[in-house]
């Protein structure tokens, strides 16, 4: 079975998802995997993709020019040519759009590949809340959402790693091939064995941690308000690029690290935390849980079904958007108690992931 993986979304959360799935499929020996990957900087792929799949893939860097980059959002000519060439040369029959692939929507609309079986991963069935800073960013976000909707409507083979989205898709499209595939672990060798300290947190330990890109739907403002209202003596760390709801204030024991956190820093960041909090206003799929469980961290999360489906019995839940409820959980949790769980080993098995994808591809 020859499979071409296409992944053109390069968000920091998307890249490890892509690499984890691709490496697992390639290592299984069940599928002959090829790839077309696009990013602004392809070092992550070079450092984390297994060598044999790396050598069978094409890597495309998005243009540095803002004008050319904008053009790529509507017609990524180099990506399209690479897909067509590999399909022809390797006689590919199966193509999987593994990230959101909004830039290919117009091409697929006007030039559908009728002889090729295309699979599509649904990451966000419903758009998240966003704070738009300009009319341009609002237009682009709306355009991306429309392209995602086109793919979901047009593709007959859909998969998601969210039970809620799976159930909804089955009701919306009862005649389509829809599969629930496990969310892959986001742990790679650089994270597991990283030795770099986070310089902003030198001599800072036992903190409450939020990790990830910061956008409105992540609920960091809720966490910040809840922390201040709780009256606890702990420290709060928000690490990840994005919106600033507060600035570092050591007197208030709050630390904002607004930059990309290197994989080699993640181990230190999580190992020094007492508890990890994800106060999302909305969530469809997220891999941050795999990191928290890999490092045996206690969790406080909002009460969305995805979190309920992907956490162990010791996780604490609060009503999404409710500052007082989160503040209460921050006061209740035992920060000194260590946690040991087999949840990571039990729920992030590559063999299960591969078998689910094989079922998806062969129906």
């Amino acid at each position: 079975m020859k499979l071409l993986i296409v992944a053109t979304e390069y968000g920091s959360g998307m890249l490890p998802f892509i690499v984890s799935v691709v490496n697992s499929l390639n290592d299984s020996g069940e599928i002959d995997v090829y790839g077309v990957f696009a990013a602004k900087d392809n070092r992550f792929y070079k450092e984390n993709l297994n060598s044999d799949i790396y050598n069978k893939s094409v890597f495309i860097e998005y243009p540095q020019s803002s004008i050319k980059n904008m053009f790529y959002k509507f017609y990524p000519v180099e990506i399209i040519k690479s897909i067509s060439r590999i399909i022809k040369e390797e006689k590919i029959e199966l193509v999987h759009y593994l990230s959101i692939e909004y830039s290919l929507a117009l091409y697929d609309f006007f030039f559908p590949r009728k002889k090729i079986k295309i699979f599509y991963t649904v990451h966000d069935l419903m758009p998240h809340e966003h704070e738009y800073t300009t009319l341009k960013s609002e237009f682009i976000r709306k355009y991306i959402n429309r392209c995602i909707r086109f793919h979901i409507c047009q593709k007959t083979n859909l998969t998601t790693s969210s039970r809620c989205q799976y159930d909804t898709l089955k009701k919306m499209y009862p005649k389509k091939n829809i599969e629930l595939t496990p969310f892959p672990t986001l742990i790679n060798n650089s994270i597991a064995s990283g030795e770099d300290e986070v310089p902003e947190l030198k001599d800072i330990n036992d903190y409450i941690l939020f990790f990830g890109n910061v956008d409105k739907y992540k609920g960091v403002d809720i966490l910040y308000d809840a922390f201040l209202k709780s009256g606890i003596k702990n420290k709060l760390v928000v690490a990840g690029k994005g919106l600033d709801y507060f600035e570092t204030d050591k007197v208030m024991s709050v630390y904002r690290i607004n930059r990309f956190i290197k994989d080699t820093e993640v181990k230190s960041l999580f190992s020094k935390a007492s508890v990890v909090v994800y106060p999302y206003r909305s969530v469809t799929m997220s891999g941050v849980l795999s990191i928290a469980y890999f490092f045996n961290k206690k969790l406080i999360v909002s009460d969305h079904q995805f979190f309920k489906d992907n956490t162990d019995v010791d996780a604490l839940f609060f009503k999404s958007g409710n500052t007082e409820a989160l503040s209460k959980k921050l006061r209740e949790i035992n920060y000194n108690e260590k946690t040991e769980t087999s949840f990571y080993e039990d729920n992030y098995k590559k063999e299960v992931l591969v078998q689910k994808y094989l079922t998806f591809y062969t129906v």
Side-chain angles (χ1 to χ4, degrees):
M1 180 190 302
K2 286 189 174 184
L3 171 71
L4 174 62
I5 297 285
V6 177
T8 61
E9 172 59 33
Y10 50 86
S12 58
M14 188 71 75
L15 289 174
F17 174 94
I18 294 164
V19 166
S20 187
V21 172
V22 173
N23 280 341
S24 296
L25 293 175
N26 181 72
D27 293 349
S28 71
E30 300 285 342
I31 310 174
D32 191 7
V33 184
Y34 297 79
V36 173
F37 304 103
K40 279 195 172 180
D41 183 348
N42 284 300
R43 282 182 299 177
F44 186 88
Y45 286 123
K46 186 174 183 179
E47 294 170 358
N48 293 285
L49 272 181
N50 293 345
S51 58
D52 49 347
I53 178 63
Y54 186 86
N55 293 331
K56 293 191 298 180
S57 300
V58 173
F59 300 91
I60 299 164
E61 291 203 8
Y62 276 89
Q64 296 296 319
S65 164
S66 59
I67 296 176
K68 290 182 179 179
N69 193 286
M70 178 64 71
F71 182 76
Y72 251 56
K73 295 182 186 301
F74 298 91
Y75 190 77
V77 59
E78 191 175 353
I79 295 172
I80 292 168
K81 286 182 177 179
S82 296
I83 294 171
S84 300
R85 179 180 60 78
I86 294 177
I87 288 175
K88 183 178 180 180
E89 291 179 356
E90 302 298 336
K91 297 181 173 56
I92 300 290
E93 296 178 350
L94 309 178
V95 175
H96 188 164
Y97 289 178
L98 191 56
S99 65
I100 61 177
E101 272 62 76
Y102 69 87
S103 63
L104 296 173
L106 284 178
Y107 183 84
D108 282 7
F109 178 78
F110 289 108
F111 307 101
R113 302 179 188 275
K114 296 180 180 180
K115 296 182 180 181
I116 302 296
K117 196 172 183 181
I118 298 182
F119 303 82
Y120 185 75
T121 293
V122 180
H123 290 270
D124 299 322
L125 182 58
M126 299 299 295
H128 290 299
E129 301 90 342
H130 285 278
E131 290 189 3
Y132 302 109
T133 55
T134 64
L135 288 175
K136 176 184 174 182
S137 64
E138 183 176 3
F139 168 77
I140 291 174
R141 176 56 57 181
K142 288 183 177 180
Y143 170 72
I144 289 173
N145 289 336
R146 285 183 178 274
C147 291
I148 292 172
R149 176 58 57 186
F150 164 78
H151 281 309
I152 294 172
C153 293
Q154 190 252 359
K155 304 298 187 287
T156 57
N157 303 287
L158 304 173
T159 183
T160 182
S161 298
S162 162
R163 167 65 67 177
C164 287
Q165 290 192 149
Y166 170 77
D167 292 339
T168 302
L169 287 167
K170 292 287 282 187
K171 291 177 182 178
M172 291 173 64
Y173 307 108
K175 295 183 179 180
K176 291 189 178 187
N177 170 32
I178 300 173
E179 184 64 69
L180 177 65
T181 46
F183 202 103
T185 177
L186 300 192
I187 298 296
N188 54 44
N189 291 334
S190 297
I191 290 177
S193 58
E195 297 182 353
D196 291 341
E197 294 287 330
V198 179
E200 295 92 336
L201 299 177
K202 184 180 180 181
D203 300 325
I204 306 298
N205 299 283
D206 304 321
Y207 43 77
I208 299 162
L209 173 65
F210 173 93
F211 169 69
N213 283 353
V214 179
D215 206 337
K216 182 177 181 179
Y217 75 93
K218 299 289 185 72
V220 168
D221 55 323
I222 298 170
L223 172 58
Y224 177 64
D225 291 342
F227 174 78
L228 295 182
K229 290 179 180 179
S230 69
I232 59 177
K233 302 301 182 183
N234 302 72
K235 305 173 186 69
L236 172 65
V237 172
V238 171
K241 194 172 182 179
L243 298 173
D244 273 331
Y245 289 103
F246 63 90
E247 295 181 353
T248 293
D249 185 339
K250 295 180 181 180
V251 176
M252 297 294 293
S253 297
V254 293
Y255 297 80
R256 176 68 177 102
I257 307 171
N258 190 346
R259 64 173 175 83
F260 175 74
I261 306 298
K262 296 185 295 184
D263 283 356
T264 52
E265 296 175 313
V266 171
K267 181 179 179 180
S268 171
L269 181 68
F270 274 79
S271 297
K272 293 167 63 177
S274 293
V275 60
V276 177
V277 183
Y278 289 114
Y280 287 33
R281 286 185 168 88
S282 63
V283 59
T284 48
M285 302 195 307
S286 176
V288 292
L289 297 175
S290 66
I291 304 176
Y293 278 119
F294 182 81
F295 291 107
N296 280 313
K297 294 299 160 183
K298 295 190 288 292
L299 277 165
I300 300 176
V301 292
S302 49
D303 61 348
H304 295 289
Q305 194 59 46
F306 180 83
F307 286 149
K308 291 181 178 179
D309 290 341
N310 293 277
T311 50
D312 67 7
V313 294
D314 293 327
L316 296 181
F317 295 93
F318 73 96
K319 185 170 180 57
S320 177
N322 190 317
T323 303
E324 293 295 338
L326 176 53
S327 183
K328 182 179 179 182
K329 295 299 179 184
L330 291 174
R331 291 192 297 269
E332 289 178 353
I333 196 167
N334 187 340
Y335 293 93
N336 297 317
E337 183 183 38
K338 301 298 180 182
T339 182
E340 292 291 336
T341 176
S342 61
F343 190 87
Y344 181 85
E345 290 77 12
D346 295 339
N347 289 271
Y348 294 97
K349 296 178 178 178
K350 289 184 178 181
E351 298 81 6
V352 177
L353 182 146
V354 170
Q355 191 54 53
K356 281 289 188 177
Y357 275 100
L358 285 174
T359 301
F360 181 45
Y361 296 143
T362 54
V363 168

